[in-house]
Amino acid sequence: LVQKKHIHTSTTTFNINTMMRVVAIVLAVSHVAGAFMPSATFGARSVSSSTLKSSAVPDGEKLKKAAAVYEEPRMNPDRPELPELKGDFDWDAKFGADPDWIVDNVPGKIVMNEIELASQVTALSALEEQWRKERVQDEYDGAQQVGWSYKAETMNGRFAMFFLVVGLLTEAWTGVSIPGQIEEMLRVGGVIGFEG
């Protein structure tokens, strides 16, 4: 009984020590990762080294201190669903005196009447129809295998170059010229020289 109790106690001590090491490693990794990540992304301040090194503090208190260090990110007062941007201010007020600064007819802020909007919709519809016709024509040309199309001409050129190289290599190996090879092919196929 004494040995079993001793084993159980050492196992419990081992588990507590392991848990303390894991918590210290997690805190250290989050501290290192926080140094390379912008704080607005995580909304957390960096953990001080004294927090990581204090081993006399129990695990529960360490977790409470770590939770106290975490802060929620500040939200944008104009749009509360978005985080606050550093340096977010009125650019028009800052650069309004600059002669190159555009204040009127800024894209996205232009107010248009219904006639201008209708003319834009008409022009965009015509442009959309033109692009649709071009897309349909490109799809048709891409699917066409024969005739005066880009794909047919590409395949014709590839076959011509392939058979020219085969004819030249055959001529180099056998000594029969390309016209001689064509004549021999026609005789073997029975197109010429058929007597009977």
Side-chain angles (χ1 to χ4, degrees):
L1 289 175
V2 174
Q3 286 181 341
K4 286 185 179 179
K5 193 171 189 180
H6 177 69
I7 291 170
H8 180 67
T9 306
S10 65
T11 306
T12 305
T13 306
F14 173 75
N15 287 339
I16 290 173
N17 287 336
T18 305
M19 287 174 36
M20 287 176 62
R21 287 180 185 152
V22 168
V23 167
I25 290 171
V26 167
L27 288 174
V29 167
S30 67
H31 177 70
V32 171
F36 295 105
M37 302 291 179
S39 61
T41 306
F42 295 99
R45 294 186 309 211
S46 61
V47 179
S48 65
S49 58
S50 62
T51 306
L52 295 174
K53 293 179 182 175
S54 62
S55 58
V57 181
D59 289 336
E61 290 182 27
K62 279 186 183 178
L63 293 176
K64 287 179 185 176
K65 282 186 179 181
V69 169
Y70 178 77
E71 292 179 355
E72 289 291 325
R74 295 181 183 172
M75 304 311 280
N76 190 337
D78 295 331
R79 298 191 59 189
E81 70 273 7
L82 298 176
E84 181 181 41
L85 297 175
K86 290 184 180 178
D88 189 20
F89 54 92
D90 188 6
W91 293 92
D92 290 334
K94 182 174 182 179
F95 295 105
D98 190 352
D100 295 331
W101 188 256
I102 300 172
V103 180
D104 298 329
N105 296 329
V106 178
K109 295 183 178 181
I110 300 172
V111 179
M112 304 178 89
N113 60 23
E114 292 180 14
I115 296 172
E116 290 173 338
L117 286 175
S119 65
Q120 266 193 359
V121 168
T122 305
L124 288 174
S125 298
L127 189 60
E128 180 184 5
E129 182 64 23
Q130 177 188 349
W131 287 345
R132 187 191 66 78
K133 288 179 182 177
E134 289 175 5
R135 180 181 52 83
V136 168
Q137 184 65 39
D138 289 343
E139 289 174 358
Y140 174 76
D141 289 342
Q144 191 174 2
Q145 299 288 335
V146 295
W148 300 104
S149 69
Y150 180 77
K151 191 171 184 180
E153 290 296 321
T154 303
M155 295 304 295
N156 185 22
R158 288 177 182 166
F159 283 126
M161 291 299 105
F162 173 75
F163 286 113
L164 179 63
V165 170
V166 168
L168 291 174
L169 291 174
T170 304
E171 183 176 348
W173 285 326
T174 63
V176 179
S177 66
I178 292 179
Q181 294 173 32
I182 294 172
E183 180 187 2
E184 189 171 338
M185 185 177 62
L186 292 175
R187 284 189 188 280
V188 169
V191 176
I192 60 171
F194 180 72
E195 298 165 1

